[in-house]
Amino acid sequence: MSFQIRQSISSSVAGSSSEDLYAMVEDAIKKCNEHFLPGLGVFFKKWWQQAEPHLKQDAVKLLEKTFNN
């Protein structure tokens, strides 16, 4: 993914409320449109970079459980 796309996505959601962000994620998942995947990737990357180590560990354990069921 190019830096321009990441920057554009970050700029477009800057200042959004938690309710707005929740709605965006829900909408992207419900629509099952692959065009939304870069945006979700940017959300995850930003979260990952700021998350505490224990939250990262919880996230990967949840991913492991999700993909191994």
Side-chain angles (χ1 to χ4, degrees):
M1 177 180 357
S2 76
F3 177 74
Q4 289 176 319
I5 293 171
R6 290 180 193 156
Q7 186 61 35
S8 176
I9 292 166
S10 295
S11 295
S12 70
V13 299
S16 296
S17 68
S18 60
E19 292 85 7
D20 291 338
L21 294 168
Y22 186 93
M24 286 180 215
V25 171
E26 283 289 316
D27 190 48
I29 291 170
K30 284 179 186 173
K31 289 185 178 176
C32 296
N33 186 332
E34 291 190 12
H35 290 95
F36 292 114
L37 290 177
L40 294 175
V42 170
F43 280 21
F44 186 77
K45 179 185 177 206
K46 292 273 191 182
W47 174 81
W48 188 267
Q49 289 174 325
Q50 296 180 13
E52 298 290 329
H54 72 279
L55 293 174
K56 290 178 182 180
Q57 195 61 39
D58 290 346
V60 295
K61 285 179 183 178
L62 180 58
L63 288 169
E64 177 185 37
K65 180 180 176 183
T66 301
F67 285 103
N68 289 323
N69 283 333

